[in-house]
Amino acid sequence: MQSVRIVAAQTVEYREDIGAALRCVAKLAARAEAAGAALLCFPEGFLQGYLVDEASARRQALDLGSSAFQSLLAELPRSGPMLVIGMLELDDGQLFNTAIVVQHGQFIGRYRKAHLLGAERAFTAGTESPSFEVDGLRFGINICYDTNFPEAAQKVADTGASLLLCVANNMLRRETAETFKHQHNAIRGERCRETGLWLMSSDVTGERDGRVAWGPTAVLDPHGQVVAQLPLNEPGLLFFDLPLS
């Protein structure tokens, strides 16, 4: 059976430091390319940081039609895997929690988070659920809290995709992180069983301001079973050869 190599990055946070985030993308994309990967996924809000304060988010957000965004694309690798990168987007005055899809420095498309937490009042909810294709693999995207809602995953399955990417940032207060430590994969596994989709998550790790992030960055099969996972508290790349049906 044919397969396609997919990769998820588990990274430290880069907050209001796009340059450092881009350097991380270049470094990890080079590793993924050397390993023959077709797809590399980064966490939620990766480019600017998961900023929910409106003033901070507006200061860092990028309009995808702007020259600043075009300059950013020019700094991304011109070869190697397709990239899925979480970012803060500004469009016609509205803020969106977005994941962009880029290949060889070219913008392919975007997904905007549809289900927003109470702390994300500064953002507008997305309404579309596009899918994308690379090397015979069709995939769609959910962003973190989206995976708590069966309809979000079902919209991806309805496009004919076989893989759901979960772009996440679980930098939580320690007591909350402890509570949810083993629940993330359980919830995501429900979405797999309901839809028959594979799922790959990409999350942050580290500590700041009384908060901790452990991930998980993992791959779940269509039965909801974890088939690969990085250690909870270590940055790294998770490689997986996904079978193509």
Side-chain angles (χ1 to χ4, degrees):
M1 179 181 290
Q2 287 186 313
S3 64
V4 59
R5 180 159 293 178
I6 59 176
V7 190
Q10 185 163 279
T11 72
V12 298
E13 284 190 303
Y14 296 96
R15 294 173 63 81
E16 302 191 70
D17 192 347
I18 293 177
L22 289 174
R23 289 190 292 274
C24 179
V25 170
K27 178 182 177 180
L28 298 186
R31 286 180 55 192
E33 180 179 12
L39 179 65
L40 171 58
C41 184
F42 288 87
E44 177 183 15
F46 177 79
L47 277 180
Q48 304 107 315
Y50 178 65
L51 307 173
V52 296
D53 169 70
E54 183 167 2
S56 299
R58 286 192 177 277
R59 185 169 60 247
Q60 291 294 322
L62 288 169
D63 187 322
L64 302 190
S66 68
S67 58
F69 182 68
Q70 292 303 312
S71 297
L72 183 150
L73 290 177
E75 295 188 48
L76 292 174
R78 316 311 280 189
S79 63
M82 181 177 284
L83 304 173
V84 176
I85 306 172
M87 65 167 291
L88 307 181
E89 180 194 358
L90 182 66
D91 185 19
D92 196 25
Q94 294 181 304
L95 290 168
F96 295 92
N97 183 335
T98 297
I100 56 170
V101 181
V102 178
Q103 188 168 39
H104 305 160
Q106 300 297 312
F107 174 67
I108 304 299
R110 69 185 167 204
Y111 170 78
R112 291 167 167 171
K113 190 173 187 176
H115 299 276
L116 301 173
L117 293 159
E120 297 175 310
R121 287 184 294 271
F123 296 91
T124 298
T127 58
E128 299 180 354
S129 188
S131 63
F132 309 91
E133 188 169 344
V134 61
D135 286 9
L137 171 67
R138 182 161 291 278
F139 68 92
I141 304 167
N142 278 188
I143 298 180
C144 209
Y145 189 52
D146 282 333
T147 56
N148 285 269
F149 299 86
E151 60 269 25
Q154 188 59 53
K155 286 181 179 180
V156 171
D158 290 344
T159 69
S162 58
L163 172 67
L164 175 61
L165 293 183
C166 175
V167 180
N169 184 309
N170 282 298
M171 180 65 74
L172 304 169
R173 297 194 182 280
R174 184 171 290 273
E175 60 272 22
T176 306
E178 287 282 1
T179 299
F180 284 95
K181 189 173 186 179
H182 299 295
Q183 292 189 32
H184 300 296
N185 280 338
I187 292 168
R188 295 165 187 173
E190 292 178 12
R191 304 292 85 83
C192 295
R193 288 187 291 273
E194 292 161 356
T195 60
L197 291 167
W198 289 82
L199 183 147
M200 180 172 72
S201 60
S202 173
D203 211 323
V204 296
T205 190
E207 297 186 37
R208 65 166 170 85
D209 304 327
R211 296 174 178 264
V212 61
W214 289 309
T217 294
V219 175
L220 281 67
D221 69 16
H223 303 290
Q225 299 299 309
V226 176
V227 293
Q229 181 171 313
L230 289 178
L232 290 182
N233 58 351
E234 297 177 15
L237 288 178
L238 178 64
F239 291 87
F240 187 78
D241 292 328
L242 186 76
L244 294 174
S245 57

